[in-house]
């Protein structure tokens, strides 16, 4: 149920069209909660039908024009209710970890190359997060909004740091394994 809340959050921050939301998801929220263009549009329709958002008045879209949305008081109340409610952490589901477990019984063919590829991907993501941190969170940005947004970014930096360190360790262990033998 978090996609509607991600959309409500984005719309409270700034009324937007579906296309603008998709772009904003690609640049920020999508780092930790992804959604396709179709999912966003489908959810906008549901949120509007539930009375949580509305199309901005005076902008009846003609074919090809964008329809922008804003959050209504009921949407803000729902977002506040959801934010205040307790939520359990989600269990980790990672395909690479499952593949390593399977490699223990069927052999390691292809896994080493993919570990290296994953390391490169996580290193790039870490570099991107660190660039965002340097650009968007200079010393002195101490508003509550800035501090909470920075906290979310720090989670991304810390997770990518974990994965890059773990993948380097996994590659070192992998290099010491006999060639393609199941355990």
């Amino acid at each position: 149920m978090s996609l509607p809340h991600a959309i409500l959050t984005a719309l409270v921050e700034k009324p937007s069209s579906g296309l603008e939301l998709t772009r904003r998801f690609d640049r920020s929220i999508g780092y930790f909660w992804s959604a396709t263009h179709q999912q966003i549009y489908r959810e906008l329709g549901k949120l509007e039908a539930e009375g949580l958002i509305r199309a901005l008045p005076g902008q009846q879209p003609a074919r090809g024009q964008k329809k922008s949305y804003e959050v209504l008081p009921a949407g803000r109340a729902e977002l506040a209710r959801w934010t205040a409610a307790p939520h359990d952490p989600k269990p980790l589901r990672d395909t690479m970890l499952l593949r390593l477990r399977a490699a223990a019984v069927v052999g390691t063919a292809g896994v080493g190359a993919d570990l290296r590829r994953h390391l490169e991907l996580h290193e790039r993501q870490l570099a991107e997060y660190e660039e965002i941190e340097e650009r968007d969170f200079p010393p002195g940005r101490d508003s509550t909004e800035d501090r909470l947004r920075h906290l979310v970014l720090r989670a991304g930096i810390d997770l990518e740091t974990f994965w890059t360190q773990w993948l380097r360790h996994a590659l070192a262990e992998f290099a010491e394994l006999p060639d393609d033998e199941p355990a």
Side-chain angles (χ1 to χ4, degrees):
M1 173 122 175
S2 293
L3 178 57
H5 298 100
I7 291 172
L8 287 171
T9 299
L11 290 175
V12 167
E13 291 173 345
K14 179 183 176 195
S16 305
S17 69
L19 180 59
E20 291 166 337
L21 281 172
T22 300
R23 289 179 179 151
R24 288 173 61 203
F25 266 70
D26 289 344
R27 290 190 321 261
S28 62
I29 292 175
Y31 287 125
F32 56 90
W33 197 267
S34 62
T36 66
H37 187 71
Q38 293 83 5
Q39 289 172 315
I40 290 171
Y41 273 95
R42 190 169 39 249
E43 202 58 52
L44 284 169
K46 290 177 186 176
L47 291 168
E48 189 172 26
E50 292 171 6
L52 301 179
I53 65 170
R54 70 173 179 159
L56 288 171
Q59 294 186 5
Q60 298 303 320
R63 187 166 176 83
Q65 290 182 323
K66 13 181 211 184
K67 183 177 183 181
S68 290
Y69 296 89
E70 68 180 354
V71 176
L72 294 171
R76 187 177 281 274
E78 168 53 23
L79 187 58
R81 182 210 59 78
W82 178 80
T83 300
H87 297 272
D88 292 336
K90 297 286 184 205
L92 176 64
R93 290 178 60 174
D94 188 274
T95 306
M96 178 56 76
L97 297 176
L98 182 57
R99 290 175 58 216
L100 284 172
R101 181 74 180 252
V105 293
V106 299
T108 59
V111 177
D114 209 33
L115 283 168
R116 286 186 290 282
R117 186 180 70 81
H118 277 237
L119 177 58
E120 290 171 12
L121 292 170
H122 284 287
E123 286 173 335
R124 278 200 302 262
Q125 190 64 64
L126 177 58
E128 186 175 342
Y129 286 163
E130 288 172 336
E131 285 176 24
I132 292 169
E133 182 179 44
E134 186 175 322
R135 179 190 70 222
D136 293 349
F137 297 101
R141 288 194 67 177
D142 291 338
S143 72
T144 298
E145 187 175 289
D146 285 334
R147 291 175 73 178
L148 292 175
R149 286 182 178 158
H150 191 204
L151 190 60
V152 172
L153 179 62
R154 281 302 320 169
I157 290 169
D158 292 347
L159 284 169
E160 294 302 329
T161 299
F162 161 78
W163 281 115
T164 56
Q165 291 172 348
W166 181 85
L167 285 160
R168 286 186 190 110
H169 176 77
L171 283 165
E173 287 286 329
F174 207 80
E176 295 179 14
L177 298 175
D179 289 339
D180 198 31
E181 288 182 22

